[in-house]
Each structure stands twice: as structure tokens, then as C-alpha cells.
Amino acid sequence: MHRQSLTNLSLRWGKAHAFVVIAILCLTWVAYSAVEASRRPERHSLRLAAGTTVDHRYQIAKHLAAEAKEAKVDITIVPISGLEATLTGFATRQIDAAIVSLGLQVRDVDHIQILAGLDVAPLHILARRELTATNKSLSDIFKNHRVNIGPPGTNDHAMGIEVLDFLQLSHECTAMNWTKDELMSHAEEIVQASSEKRQELAKELPDVALLVASLPSNVVQRLLDTGLYEIVPFPYANNFLLSDPNGPTDNINRNFVEQTKIPAAMYVGSTPMPAVECPSIGLRSLLVAHRDVPAETVTGVMQTVFDSSFTHRIAPLPPNRIVDTIRPHDAAESYLQRQKPMITGDLFERFSDGLSIFGAFIAGVLSFYGYLRRRNVCSPGEYLEEIRRVDALVFGNESVDDNTLKCPALHAQELDSRLVKLKQKLIEDYCNNRVQGELVLMTILSMLSDSRAQIQRAATRTEESPKSYVVSAEERSRAA
């Protein structure tokens, strides 16, 4: 009684201690949650280069910066123009990220890594209306005319040199190196100038302008507003892409240039242009970042690019789907891995294959186990055969030795002992699952009981008339 009281007291103390520990843990969790909720969310900053303000790429960057505020990333847009200036900005850490073009030949940029693929910026070929009026070929439009390909170090210049070399017109035209800003400001002056001044300003503009720009391009729209230009298709897109991937100028890797189109009526005006869909080639824009940009900042940018209204407008590509010499950013890959569903088609297929193999293995094991078990299972016929033999001895259908015959009581006792041993073996085999089925067990036990009753009745008759039993035995012996 005293021991039971001590046990109950210990249980009560144990429960009390458990409740105290649980209460402390709950209070700690509540305090931690309150502190975390009261803390001001940490914000991250990012300096992004996206070309000049006249580029549509700059507008894309502004949209990205506006959406990134929700992801606690403050993006400052740095107006740097040209690939070389962008690479210098990365090297001097003036910028943390940039929107650049895929396909440009760059080297020693291991510190720059890809976050996402953005839109494709097509090549716009703008030619003066008087050059296109006579339905001349593209070579005739370029030959012996002033062609603006932009300043060295820009996408326009790299693509312009590549196209002129492809057309074998590098020495057949005069190259101009106006920037997009210069073209934009000059077109603004023409639109606002009087008719006399307008003609003088128009003479300064190039005859043909090659511009790589995202759709819709503000510069292209303003040049079309002057009424001096039309958009000319580039009908050699397939030939250009299938030709030597490392062109003679080694400016662009054509493996990364994409075939694209400028949709009809992309640019507005008195007459929407182009009138029909215009085939062209283009460079995909890439959002890249310095490899030392903190992972938390990259995660916020990736969240904005792939999980906001920016996603529906730009339709970005994940970095692992972009083939380039620049590798994906580690933090970007980590973000995409976390966003992947746990159960994918490939995972389900591998699981299904594994399940099939496992099922076949289990089936084989069960079959082998069943075979071994059947070998250890006793057949009911074994017990029934033993009972039949005992019954045959009781009724004299089988011969017995002479010693047992002279002592019928001993003979009955021996038969009963055999049945008792058989019953013990039956019960033992049933307990060890070597005899299956309760109905089989009950049937054999019933037959054992009947046989033992027959033995007892035969033994009783023998005690009452032993002589008849012996004589009948002798007669059977003589008959044999």
C-alpha cells in the first residue's frame, strides 16, 4: 500500500513537471514570435544597369524595380550603355546586376552569373522610304548608302558588323556610329521643326539604321514618326543562323542568336508599321548579377521575376534553360529548386519503376516463403492414415504380433497410446501452423475420439469374453 502511494505521488510530480516544461516552451515560442513580428523587415539594395533611358530595356528595368519593392529589394537603375561599359561597371563594383544580350562574345566573366532570360530584342532595319519605294533588294538598300550601326561596344554595333559581313557589304557602304540617344534627340527635333528646318535636319540622319531593341522600341517609334523611314524585313534569317556560328568578325556567337519576328502594326502612326509580319533575328535579353550579390537579395529578385505581375508581362526563362558560356547564379538555382513541386512527372516515374521492382521482389519472396511453408505443412491424410491403421488393428483387418495377441488388454492400451500421441502431435502441429484450418482440426479430433471409443468398446468385449477373442485370433492364424 505504501509503495502504491509512492508510485502515485511520483506520477503526479512527473505530470506537474511535464506541464511546467510545456508551459515554458509555449511562452518562449510566443515571446520569440512577438519579437520577430515587431522587427522591421530587412530590405536589400541592388544597383541595376539597363541601358539608356530611351531603351525599352530601361522600361523593363523600371517595372522590375517597382515590383521588387514587394520582395523587400530596392533596385536603383544605373544608366550605363554598352556591353563594355557594363563589364567595366561589374569589375569596379559600380553595379550589382545588369540586363545584357545573349550571344555577344565575352571573355573572363566568371564573376557574372545568370538570373533569368527575359524578352528577345529583334534587329530593326529602318530604311528611308525613297530606298524602299523601288522594291530594291536588301543589298541594294545598303550599298553606297550611310548605314548607322551604333558606337563600338554596343549590341547595335556588334550585330550591325555581323550583318554587313554576312551580306558582304562591309566595304560597300558608309558606317555611322550614332547612339540611340542621338538618334532619339535628332528625331525629336525633326518632328517639332518647321518644314524648312525639317529638311535640313533630315539630311543628317542615316539612310539606313540597324537597331537591336526590345519591343516596342521608343527610338524606332520616334524615327518612324518623322515619316522618313520604313521597317525592312531581314529575309536571310535562316541562312544567317545556319552559317558559320563564329562569324568573320568574332563579335557574335550565332549559336545564341534567335530567329524572331516583328509583329504587324507593332508601331503606330498614320500608317501602322510594319504592314505585315516582319521576319528578323534577335538577341535574348539576360538578367545577370555579380556572383558576390547576397543570396537574400538574389532570392528577392527571383521572386519578383518569377512570381509577380512582371512574370506575366515578360514571360521569363529560368537560368537552367539558357545555353550560354555564363553559368546560372547559385542562389537563383537554389530558389528554383525550392519552388519546384515535390512530386513531379520524373519523380513519379522513378517511384513507379521502383515500386514495380519492389513489387516483383516481394512477389518472389512470398512465393519462396509459400513454397517453404508448404513443405513444412502436414497433410491431413497423414493423420487419417494413422487413424485408419489403428481402426484396422482394432477390427482385426491387419495382423499383429503374437505377444500382443496373448494380452488383448495390452493390445488395446498400445493402440490407445498411439492415438493419444497422434492427438498430441496434431495439436502441436496446429499450434506451429503445420496444420491449417480449424475445420480440418475439428474433423481429425472427432475421428480420433471415435477411434479411441472403438478401442475402449473392443477392450470391454475382450474382458467379458477373452476366449472368443483368442479363438478367433487362432482361427485367423490358421487360415493365414
Side-chain angles (χ1 to χ4, degrees):
M1 186 71 178
H2 179 65
R3 182 178 299 176
Q4 185 176 3
S5 300
L6 290 177
T7 302
N8 293 335
L9 182 61
S10 299
L11 290 174
R12 286 198 297 271
W13 274 101
K15 291 180 179 178
H17 282 91
F19 281 122
V20 169
V21 171
I22 293 173
I24 292 174
L25 291 176
C26 291
L27 290 174
T28 303
W29 179 78
V30 170
Y32 173 79
S33 300
V35 171
E36 286 295 317
S38 63
R39 286 177 58 185
R40 186 175 181 180
E42 184 180 359
R43 302 194 68 83
H44 307 279
S45 60
L46 187 78
R47 294 164 298 179
L48 174 66
T52 61
T53 55
V54 299
D55 288 327
H56 183 69
R57 180 179 293 179
Y58 188 88
Q59 306 304 319
I60 294 176
K62 287 181 63 176
H63 185 199
L64 177 64
E67 293 293 331
K69 292 184 181 298
E70 295 293 328
K72 304 180 181 63
V73 179
D74 298 322
I75 297 179
T76 303
I77 302 176
V78 181
I80 294 180
S81 179
L83 179 63
E84 293 181 2
T86 302
L87 296 178
T88 302
F90 273 116
T92 58
R93 292 312 305 269
Q94 294 179 353
I95 58 174
D96 304 308
I99 300 178
V100 298
S101 294
L102 173 66
L104 301 181
Q105 296 282 23
V106 291
R107 297 176 178 84
D108 301 326
V109 289
D110 294 337
H111 56 288
I112 301 175
Q113 298 177 346
I114 300 175
L115 300 186
L118 304 179
D119 63 329
V120 177
L123 170 67
H124 294 71
I125 303 177
L126 275 70
R128 287 185 179 257
R129 289 180 177 272
E130 57 268 22
L131 297 180
T132 61
T134 56
N135 295 322
K136 295 181 179 180
S137 66
L138 192 61
S139 298
D140 294 333
I141 291 175
F142 280 91
K143 190 177 297 184
N144 300 323
H145 293 104
R146 298 170 301 152
V147 180
N148 186 77
I149 56 176
T154 61
N155 300 343
D156 301 332
H157 187 272
M159 182 66 83
I161 292 294
E162 199 76 17
V163 169
L164 291 178
D165 282 328
F166 171 76
L167 296 174
Q168 300 179 359
L169 296 173
S170 299
H171 305 290
E172 301 291 336
C173 59
T174 303
M176 297 178 63
N177 303 116
W178 284 27
T179 65
K180 286 189 173 75
D181 287 330
E182 291 173 334
L183 290 172
M184 184 76 167
S185 61
H186 209 80
E188 288 280 1
E189 290 183 24
I190 293 176
V191 171
Q192 298 176 6
S194 61
S195 57
E196 295 181 1
K197 184 68 173 177
R198 179 186 179 92
Q199 293 179 358
E200 294 179 6
L201 292 173
K203 294 177 182 179
E204 300 176 9
L205 284 175
D207 300 320
V208 182
L210 301 182
L211 302 171
V212 178
S214 298
L215 297 174
S217 168
N218 296 330
V219 181
V220 172
Q221 179 65 64
R222 211 55 179 157
L223 288 172
L224 294 176
D225 289 342
T226 63
L228 301 174
Y229 294 98
E230 287 188 355
I231 298 178
V232 179
F234 183 69
Y236 311 112
N238 267 334
N239 297 344
F240 180 85
L241 298 180
L242 294 176
S243 60
D244 184 8
N246 295 315
T249 62
D250 199 29
N251 287 305
I252 289 180
N253 188 337
R254 296 185 193 175
N255 288 322
F256 303 137
V257 178
E258 299 186 30
Q259 186 171 357
T260 185
K261 296 178 180 179
I262 302 174
M266 170 56 65
Y267 297 98
V268 298
S270 58
T271 307
M273 288 184 284
V276 295
E277 196 173 59
C278 187
S280 185
I281 54 177
L283 300 175
R284 182 171 293 277
S285 299
L286 298 181
L287 178 60
V288 298
H290 198 282
R291 65 186 174 192
D292 294 335
V293 174
E296 296 81 3
T297 306
V298 173
T299 299
V301 174
M302 294 295 290
Q303 181 181 346
T304 304
V305 173
F306 290 98
D307 192 19
S308 69
S309 62
F310 183 89
T311 310
H312 305 291
R313 179 175 178 180
I314 303 300
L317 289 178
N320 52 15
R321 290 182 55 189
I322 299 172
V323 180
D324 192 24
T325 55
I326 306 177
R327 64 180 300 272
H329 199 286
D330 296 335
E333 288 188 320
S334 299
Y335 174 83
L336 294 175
Q337 288 295 330
R338 291 197 301 268
Q339 296 299 107
K340 288 178 63 176
M342 295 183 64
I343 299 179
T344 60
D346 293 338
L347 179 61
F348 182 78
E349 184 176 355
R350 289 196 296 270
F351 177 75
S352 179
D353 294 341
L355 193 62
S356 300
I357 297 173
F358 179 74
F361 174 76
I362 291 298
V365 170
L366 291 177
S367 300
F368 184 68
Y369 172 75
Y371 168 73
L372 295 179
R373 188 173 180 182
R374 284 195 298 272
R375 289 190 60 186
N376 294 327
V377 170
C378 296
S379 172
E382 299 177 12
Y383 304 99
L384 297 178
E385 177 63 21
E386 181 67 14
I387 294 173
R388 186 196 67 77
R389 289 178 181 175
V390 171
D391 287 344
L393 290 173
V394 171
F395 291 104
N397 296 331
E398 289 190 7
S399 61
V400 296
D401 55 20
D402 294 338
N403 294 330
T404 305
L405 187 61
K406 293 177 182 179
C407 187
L410 183 61
H411 176 68
Q413 184 178 359
E414 180 185 354
L415 294 179
D416 188 68
S417 176
R418 286 175 63 175
L419 292 179
V420 170
K421 291 179 180 178
L422 182 63
K423 180 179 179 181
Q424 292 175 349
K425 183 177 182 301
L426 172 64
I427 295 174
E428 181 180 353
D429 289 343
Y430 180 79
C431 293
N432 293 328
N433 291 324
R434 288 196 292 270
V435 173
Q436 298 178 349
E438 294 183 0
L439 183 60
V440 173
L441 175 67
M442 299 303 297
T443 301
I444 297 175
L445 287 176
S446 176
M447 296 180 69
L448 281 170
S449 298
D450 291 343
S451 296
R452 292 187 68 188
Q454 292 287 351
I455 291 173
Q456 300 228 349
R457 285 196 294 270
T460 302
R461 287 197 302 270
T462 302
E463 290 176 359
E464 293 176 355
S465 55
K467 184 177 180 180
S468 62
Y469 176 81
V470 174
V471 170
S472 61
E474 290 178 350
E475 290 176 354
R476 286 198 304 273
S477 178
R478 284 197 298 271

